Amino acid sequence: MNFDVKTNLKKVLSDLPSGVKLVAVSKYHPAEYIMAAYEEGQRIFGESHEQEIRQKVDVLPKDIEWHFIGHLQTNKVKYIAPYIDMIDAVDSMKLLREINKQAQKNNRTINVLLELHIAEEETKYGFSLDECRQMLAEGQWRELQNVRICGLMMMASYVDDPEVIRREMTLASDFFDEMKAAHFANDDNFCERSWGMSHDYHIALECNTTMVRIGTSIFGPRVY
Ligand SMILES: *Cc1c(COP(=O)(O)O)cnc(C)c1O
C-alpha cells in the first residue's frame, strides 16, 4: 500500500507547478495512508467528516495542516474549531458567523474559502455568483475578526466533456478577479482559487487554480 500512495503522490506533485498547493483528500482512508504521504513530505490533508477527522488528528503528527473540505453543518463547527486550519467550503453567512464565534472562543483565527455553486447539478452546495457578490458587497463579514477569507472554492460539474468543466472554472476565475478588485485589492490573504479534483485538476491548472483537492489519484478509490 505505502508504495502506491508514495508513487501516486509523487506523480501528482510532478504535475503541479510550484505555487499550486495540494490538499491530499484522505477521507475514508486510514491514518497509515496519511502517514505514507506524510513521509513523502505532504502536510496538507482534507477531510469531510467531523468524527473521522478528530480521530485522525489525535493520532497523527501535529504539524499536519487540516482542511475541512465538505459541507459543514453549523452545529458541527464547535468540534473542529480548536484545531482546523482551513474550512474550504463556506456556503452561507450563517456558517461564516458561527465559525467566527467558535474561533473567538478558541482564541484563534480560522482561514476559510467561500464556496461557489456554478455547476449545473442541483445537489451541490455553495453561493450563486449573485449571492456571493451581494454578501461581500453588504460588508458585514468585515466585522468578523476571527475568520480570514482566503479565497474561493468550487466543484465543477461531474461530466466527461472538458469544455463544460473549462467553462465553469473560467467563470469562477473571472469571478475571483472581480471580487479581488472590488473587496480585497489590499488584502494579500485573499489569493486562493481552489478548483480541481482527481478527474479535472489538469483543466483547473489552465484556469488559474492555486489549490487542488485530490483524493482518488493519490489514495485510490474510497470504500464507503
Ligand atoms: C472528496 C472530495 C474531493 C476529492 O475527490 P477525488 O475525486 O477523490 O479527487 C475534492 N473536493 C471535495 C469537496 C471532496 O468532497
Side-chain angles (χ1 to χ4, degrees):
M1 170 286 296
N2 285 3
F3 175 75
D4 282 335
V5 169
K6 290 181 180 186
T7 310
N8 295 343
L9 175 66
K10 278 189 223 165
K11 162 80 180 64
V12 167
L13 285 172
S14 72
D15 287 346
L16 302 181
S18 67
V20 173
K21 291 181 193 143
L22 171 64
V23 180
V25 177
S26 48
K27 63 189 184 194
Y28 294 99
H29 292 294
E32 58 181 318
Y33 281 37
I34 298 177
M35 267 321 286
Y38 181 91
E39 285 164 10
E40 284 300 310
Q42 179 64 25
R43 289 294 179 274
I44 310 177
F45 292 90
E47 292 278 339
S48 59
H49 294 94
E50 174 268 313
Q51 290 188 347
E52 183 182 352
I53 187 174
R54 193 162 20 143
Q55 286 168 2
K56 288 173 174 171
V57 167
D58 283 347
V59 300
L60 285 159
K62 297 300 165 216
D63 63 340
I64 288 180
E65 192 181 308
W66 294 102
H67 285 220
F68 197 94
I69 60 165
H71 178 63
L72 178 59
Q73 288 169 297
T74 314
N75 62 359
K76 297 282 171 64
V77 174
K78 58 177 174 290
Y79 301 119
I80 63 171
Y83 62 81
I84 202 75
D85 288 289
M86 184 178 269
I87 296 177
D88 292 24
V90 173
D91 56 6
S92 72
M93 189 63 194
K94 182 174 166 228
L95 179 58
L96 193 64
R97 284 186 196 286
E98 178 64 14
I99 294 168
N100 185 65
K101 183 175 146 194
Q102 298 300 335
Q104 208 164 22
K105 279 192 184 169
N106 286 280
N107 248 319
R108 57 193 299 262
T109 301
I110 296 178
N111 296 321
V112 305
L113 302 178
L114 303 178
E115 179 176 13
L116 301 175
H117 182 166
I118 290 178
E120 301 290 324
E121 290 139 47
E122 291 286 329
T123 52
K124 292 211 159 80
Y125 293 99
F127 292 99
S128 70
L129 299 189
D130 274 341
E131 285 166 349
C132 189
R133 212 179 252 123
Q134 192 184 337
M135 195 274 272
L136 290 176
E138 279 170 359
Q140 289 170 358
W141 57 274
R142 291 185 190 277
E143 292 156 22
L144 307 178
Q145 299 288 325
N146 295 71
V147 291
R148 190 181 293 121
I149 301 178
C150 297
L152 304 176
M153 173 272 200
M154 61 87 79
M155 277 194 278
S157 294
Y158 197 84
V159 294
D160 288 330
D161 184 353
E163 288 316 313
V164 171
I165 297 170
R166 199 183 316 273
R167 188 170 352 112
E168 293 177 356
M169 288 179 174
T170 301
L171 198 58
S173 177
D174 291 347
F175 185 75
F176 174 92
D177 293 344
E178 182 192 329
M179 292 304 104
K180 176 78 184 164
H183 306 295
F184 299 95
N186 299 314
D187 180 354
D188 291 341
N189 291 311
F190 189 86
C191 63
E192 302 295 358
R193 279 146 280 184
S194 178
W195 16 105
M197 309 168 39
S198 290
H199 71 285
D200 60 12
Y201 75 88
H202 289 101
I203 303 173
L205 293 175
E206 297 167 17
C207 299
N208 304 315
T209 197
T210 60
M211 191 183 272
V212 290
R213 307 172 310 269
I214 300 181
T216 310
S217 294
I218 298 169
F219 298 112
R222 289 178 284 274
V223 181
Y224 293 103

